[in-house]
Amino acid sequence: MLRDGHGRRASDLRVSLTDRCNLRCSYCMPPEGLEWLPKPELLTDDEVVRLVGVGVRDLGITEVRYTGGEPLLRRGLVDIVARTAALDPAPELSLTTNGIGLARLAAPLRAAGLARVNVSLDTLDRDVFRKLAHRDRLTDVLDGLEAAASAGLTPVKVNAVLMRGVNDDEAVPLLRYCLERGYEARFIEQMPLDAQHGWQRATMVTADDVHARLAEAFTLTPLPSADRGSAPAERFAVEGGGLRGGVGIIASVTRPFCGACDRVRLTADGQVRNCLFAREESDLRAALRGGADDAEIAERWAAAVRGKKAGHGIDDPSFLQPDRPMSAIGG
Ligand code: SAM
Ligand code: SF4
């Protein structure tokens, strides 16, 4: 089991399959992109499957989410999903994606054993999308969402990050779009994880701001916190304009949920991180390539989780942004 010194157990593994991306969302990457990891440093498909296998068999991992960078850019993705779905015990597999390419891949991914997807969508306005993500790909994302729902990758969740003066007027249209199609919208507070270090606490759109915006058009009824578990979203039943459904608001900065965190992360180059904001990593790739057996890898992994800090400390004056940006850590 993966236990830390604060009584938490990690059972939810986030695996980054690449640090590359075909968008440049401004809260994540600079318009010119980043210096990508050299290919030999990336875990191979076999290495990913082996590490997920150790996690599932020896360390109590029950959920695996593939992410990035953009995981749909990873050529071996469908095969990785199929091979990890076949592990015993089988983990629940999900994917966080920007949706570009999902129109083609949703059905094969479902057939390979993927259960669910989260698709990132911050705007429904083509011009705003182009400004925010520096690419003209809104239609691809919307097509991808539709394909995910048709393929049964449900519940389809939509992740949105709102930024002041950019897309903060889109909370209601985004929620309406999701309710009309049976997707669950989740609004995530912007975190200091962009490579450009442009995040500012004073100007971020908070969870309370999102709630206030949504309340202008919908009635929001909090769902009991028991329904929340270790999932970070504060969930609400919503009703308005002839529509009803649910919405999640993720107050990662203003109301951190570190005390209930059950996550551990594996970067595309095989480093274990016990937190998005960790400043240390533990090198499983070196162990793997140095000939370590599964028991040694499991021990190294368990040691990395034991040292997890109690919280991310974004509000501490001494807070330091991690060296790697979100796209390299795996969001
Ligand atoms: N490319 C995929 C995507 O966009 O869904 C997967 C990787 S992305 C890093 C994962 C999630 O992190 C996305 O929902 C994205 O909106 C979110 N994200 C990226 N940078 C963020 C930041 N600075 N604060 C909050 N969320 C962020
Ligand atoms: Fe790419 Fe996802 Fe980062 Fe946007 S948030 S630049 S889609 S990795």
Side-chain angles (χ1 to χ4, degrees):
M1 293 298 156
L2 295 169
R3 287 188 193 282
D4 67 33
H6 303 277
R8 295 166 298 192
R9 214 193 109 192
S11 56
D12 179 346
L13 172 63
R14 312 263 145 155
V15 182
S16 172
L17 292 177
T18 175
D19 60 331
R20 289 171 191 256
C21 192
N22 40 13
L23 294 183
R24 301 283 184 271
C25 307
S26 57
Y27 49 74
C28 183
M29 277 195 207
E32 66 276 14
L34 296 165
E35 204 169 304
W36 311 123
L37 290 165
K39 182 120 197 278
E41 291 188 16
L42 296 183
L43 295 178
T44 63
D45 294 0
D46 287 348
E47 288 171 335
V48 170
V49 173
R50 172 145 176 233
L51 289 181
V52 173
V54 171
V56 164
R57 279 189 304 270
D58 302 332
L59 296 170
I61 295 294
T62 54
E63 287 179 55
V64 178
R65 174 173 294 274
Y66 293 113
T67 177
E70 178 42 52
L72 295 181
L73 293 179
R74 173 94 184 206
R75 204 173 295 157
L77 175 65
V78 174
D79 189 50
I80 290 172
V81 167
R83 291 169 67 193
T84 47
L87 291 168
D88 183 19
E92 183 170 81
L93 299 180
S94 58
L95 180 77
T96 299
T97 169
N98 64 27
I100 298 172
L102 200 53
R104 182 173 56 85
L105 283 166
L109 284 168
R110 179 77 184 119
L114 190 73
R116 290 177 289 111
V117 286
N118 286 31
V119 178
S120 302
L121 174 68
D122 304 314
T123 175
L124 292 164
D125 181 306
R126 186 172 166 193
D127 289 332
V128 176
F129 189 99
R130 217 174 339 188
K131 262 185 230 142
L132 198 159
H134 297 97
R135 300 286 186 274
D136 190 10
R137 306 297 297 267
L138 175 62
T139 312
D140 298 281
V141 178
L142 301 183
D143 290 351
L145 268 167
E146 207 179 306
S150 311
L153 292 169
T154 48
V156 173
K157 293 188 183 169
V158 171
N159 291 355
V161 175
L162 298 184
M163 286 179 293
R164 206 167 292 285
V166 178
N167 62 340
D168 57 335
D169 55 347
E170 290 203 57
V172 168
L174 279 166
L175 177 55
R176 194 174 290 134
Y177 184 88
C178 290
L179 291 173
E180 282 166 357
R181 290 160 182 79
Y183 312 151
E184 180 169 323
R186 295 146 39 97
F187 293 92
I188 306 174
E189 282 181 345
Q190 186 186 352
M191 295 179 280
L193 286 166
D194 56 316
Q196 315 87 297
H197 292 232
W199 180 88
Q200 286 184 319
R201 177 72 163 85
T203 56
M204 63 172 278
V205 177
T206 65
D208 288 345
D209 295 334
V210 173
H211 188 283
R213 294 255 183 186
L214 296 178
E216 286 168 16
F218 298 97
T219 306
L220 279 78
T221 312
L223 292 170
S225 58
D227 285 4
R228 185 177 167 191
S230 62
E234 294 168 14
R235 298 189 64 244
F236 300 85
V238 284
E239 204 174 340
L243 296 165
R244 58 166 65 213
V247 68
I249 303 181
I250 304 186
S252 337
V253 178
T254 57
R255 283 188 289 278
F257 34 86
C258 304
C261 179
D262 61 357
R263 295 183 183 171
V264 59
R265 294 167 193 275
L266 184 63
T267 64
D269 56 348
Q271 313 295 307
V272 167
R273 296 179 66 95
N274 56 30
C275 172
L276 261 180
F277 295 93
R279 300 193 55 81
E280 293 93 39
E281 300 183 336
S282 179
D283 192 351
L284 293 191
R285 186 193 64 201
L288 204 67
R289 294 187 184 170
D293 63 17
D294 285 1
E296 288 169 80
I297 289 170
E299 181 37 45
R300 190 178 275 230
W301 193 335
V305 171
R306 276 198 289 277
K308 177 163 168 153
K309 289 199 177 135
H312 58 46
I314 293 176
D315 271 339
D316 294 350
S318 62
F319 174 77
L320 279 178
Q321 197 172 323
D323 294 329
R324 295 219 223 196
M326 180 76 135
S327 56
I329 295 169

